[in-house]
Amino acid sequence: MIERRILLANIDEPDLHTMDVYERLGGYRSMRKALLDMSPEDVLHQLEESGLRGRGGAGFAMGKKASFIPKGSMDKYLCCNADESEPGAFKDRLLMQKNPHMLIEGCIIGSIAAGANKGFIFIRGEYEVQADILDAACAEAYEKGYLGERILDSEHSFDLVVHRGQGAYICGEETALLDGLEGKRGNPRLKPPFPANQGLYQGPTLINNVETLCNTPLIIEKGADWYRGLGVDNSTGTKLVSVSGNVQRPGNFEIELGVTVREVIYGLAGGPPEGRELKCFFPGGSSAPVLTQDHLDLPLTYEAMAEAGSMLGTASVIVVDDSQPLVPLALRLAEFYRHESCGKCVPCREGTNWTVKMLERLDEGEGTPMDLDILEQVQGNIIGNCLCVLGDSMAMPVASMLKHFRPEFEAHMEAARERRDLAEAEAMGAGELASVEGAGMA
């Protein structure tokens, strides 16, 4: 089996979202162990030794991030980033809908490691069903005494609130998420200071993704060595992969990191429809640079994707087959990021707008070969020069499409020009015919 179900082991269990079923299957056992049998330092050590990396996109080590939280008696915060707005990503939705208590238990364990006493799950506004389920699960956890003051008569107290966002993609960026939690417009903050030192309400804050936190009960239960035994090198553990686009079996799959792209796209997702060939794929959601057929046998790891010029990101694999023209795809992607840009910094605000305009020219038959050079230059001016990575999230995939498929962009431009010229000629001919007919009637 290519799949290795650990997070999804019981995902199809009826009523898994309830406290009774989750506890019957061993739920909250890890929380008890972390609270009653381990010190906070031991919990943090296990998370660090496991090699668990952030599953939300950046891939930063979760234990290392938690270790940056300063010691002391001040209020400290844990924020779960459940603002799953990346096009192509739908793995966190599954976890929250089917197994909300695993996330709550993960938040409690993360709070122990970081010494946090207050927590928030920031969930995207469109996830109404999932937010309702999380609210009900939190209420059950409070009723059982797993949240609140002195949990299980220990020294640790932790309150958890589900906060609903307003559907802004920018709030997936951790500092914009913090502004959203504080009731402000979701804008990225300058760094430093980093959230670990000065985050929510200016207090030390640990921010992690849903899937990341859901891994922590497994690590505490089975140990860091067990977790490091999954995956390869510094890409440890399993990963939820969301496969969509031109495939026969789209969906969520759990794999050990190190499985090849080909095994995921063709083995698990069934490959493109009959008679179609793979043209390219986004390995980590729409913000990841595209890769081609030449990269199908690469392992899905953070390192291999980076070496290939892309990134694993959320592991949301979007497959594009040879029936799909890339210029309209690039244009749709650029329009999305232009719409979602907060407009705070010039490279993103102006760069996304320029990119849309250039791609519209190409698609409408008004482009020239110089436009392709300008398009490439604009992406280079965006990448690495924005306040946050939203601008890069558009520029990197667009630049990669142009790099791998420039002949297709040129052919699309020429075909669009021919269609435009033909339409203009037909319109002109129709106009002349109407003039002649009008003169004859006179």
Side-chain angles (χ1 to χ4, degrees):
M1 283 288 291
I2 302 171
E3 274 200 275
R4 180 69 184 273
R5 288 196 162 199
I6 294 172
L7 283 177
L8 301 184
N10 301 310
I11 204 69
D12 295 320
E13 184 75 20
D15 296 325
L16 179 61
H17 64 282
T18 64
M19 175 69 76
D20 289 343
V21 174
Y22 183 68
E23 284 198 301
R24 175 167 57 80
L25 296 172
Y28 289 106
R29 189 167 53 201
S30 295
M31 179 203 70
R32 291 176 178 276
K33 179 180 179 181
L35 276 174
L36 305 178
D37 300 333
M38 301 171 69
S39 68
E41 292 76 19
D42 291 336
V43 174
L44 177 60
H45 179 71
Q46 286 295 306
L47 297 178
E48 286 187 285
E49 288 299 306
S50 71
L52 172 63
R53 297 173 66 167
R55 283 359 190 190
F60 193 82
M62 188 242 177
K64 180 65 69 177
K65 186 187 283 190
S67 72
F68 293 154
I69 304 294
K71 308 298 180 186
S73 59
M74 75 289 280
D75 280 340
K76 300 174 197 171
Y77 303 93
L78 179 141
C79 292
C80 170
N81 187 343
D83 192 69
E84 189 175 44
S85 304
E86 176 74 7
F90 45 90
K91 60 185 177 61
D92 292 344
R93 177 179 65 184
L94 174 67
L95 291 171
M96 291 185 287
Q97 183 168 330
K98 292 291 192 73
N99 203 354
H101 283 287
M102 177 180 273
L103 175 57
I104 293 171
E105 185 176 12
C107 288
I108 298 169
I109 291 170
S111 74
I112 296 169
N117 59 319
K118 299 180 186 300
F120 297 87
I121 299 175
F122 187 103
I123 187 168
R124 66 178 297 192
E126 293 85 349
Y127 281 2
E128 291 186 16
V129 171
Q130 292 76 17
D132 288 343
I133 290 171
L134 279 170
D135 276 332
C138 280
E140 286 185 310
Y142 269 107
E143 188 176 345
K144 291 280 287 190
Y146 296 163
L147 291 172
E149 294 295 318
R150 298 180 58 85
I151 301 171
L152 301 180
D153 294 325
S154 70
E155 295 298 317
H156 186 66
S157 299
F158 183 63
D159 286 301
L160 187 63
V161 174
V162 178
H163 179 96
R164 305 179 191 222
Q166 297 299 311
Y169 176 85
I170 191 65
C171 287
E173 196 277 332
E174 62 180 17
T175 60
L177 180 151
L178 296 178
D179 269 13
L181 272 174
E182 292 177 1
K184 305 171 187 172
R185 188 175 188 269
N187 280 343
R189 301 177 181 178
L190 284 171
K191 292 187 272 190
F194 292 94
N197 293 313
Q198 192 173 319
L200 186 65
Y201 307 124
Q202 307 301 307
T205 306
L206 175 66
I207 307 173
N208 278 120
N209 163 266
V210 171
E211 184 186 352
T212 312
L213 290 165
C214 284
N215 273 286
T216 60
L218 297 167
I219 294 169
I220 296 303
E221 178 187 0
K222 301 184 182 233
D225 291 340
W226 166 82
Y227 195 80
R228 288 200 73 91
L230 302 169
V232 293
D233 301 326
N234 289 323
S235 295
T236 63
T238 63
K239 184 76 187 74
L240 298 188
V241 181
S242 303
V243 188
S244 62
N246 301 131
V247 290
Q248 299 183 54
R249 294 191 298 272
N252 284 309
F253 307 96
E254 186 173 7
I255 60 164
E256 278 193 58
L257 284 168
V259 168
T260 67
V261 178
R262 186 184 300 275
E263 289 175 300
V264 171
I265 293 178
Y266 285 89
L268 293 174
E274 290 294 329
R276 296 295 181 186
E277 294 291 331
L278 182 141
K279 179 185 288 186
C280 64
F281 63 94
F282 300 78
S286 70
S287 60
V290 301
L291 298 176
T292 68
Q293 285 191 351
D294 296 337
H295 303 100
L296 281 173
D297 293 312
L298 289 178
L300 269 172
T301 64
Y302 293 96
E303 297 79 14
M305 293 298 102
E307 289 174 10
S310 188
M311 58 186 184
L312 184 61
T314 56
S316 304
V317 180
I318 306 172
V319 178
V320 181
D321 70 20
D322 56 5
S323 69
Q324 304 298 322
L326 288 185
V327 172
L329 174 61
L331 175 57
R332 181 69 190 92
L333 185 148
E335 287 173 336
F336 170 80
Y337 286 103
R338 179 180 68 174
H339 179 268
E340 295 297 334
S341 172
C342 73
K344 190 172 183 178
C345 66
V346 173
C348 180
R349 182 182 68 240
E350 299 301 322
T352 54
N353 192 42
W354 267 93
T355 300
V356 169
K357 289 180 177 179
M358 301 300 293
L359 289 168
E360 284 176 342
R361 282 172 54 83
L362 296 178
D363 197 40
E364 293 168 3
E366 298 176 358
T368 67
M370 184 184 297
D371 288 330
L372 292 177
D373 295 330
I374 296 174
L375 181 63
E376 184 177 20
Q377 182 182 6
V378 168
Q379 308 319 302
N381 291 338
I382 296 171
I383 296 172
N385 294 313
C386 299
L387 188 60
C388 76
V389 297
L390 188 144
D392 295 34
S393 296
M394 179 214 66
M396 292 191 300
V398 170
S400 67
M401 289 185 211
L402 196 54
K403 172 186 172 183
H404 292 300
F405 299 98
R406 187 175 181 118
E408 179 175 333
F409 276 71
E410 293 170 345
H412 187 100
M413 179 177 63
E414 292 300 324
R417 183 184 297 119
E418 290 174 3
R419 288 194 300 270
R420 185 200 63 181
D421 292 344
L422 179 61
E424 288 178 353
E426 290 176 348
M428 185 177 297
E432 291 176 352
L433 179 60
S435 298
V436 171
E437 291 175 348
M441 290 177 65

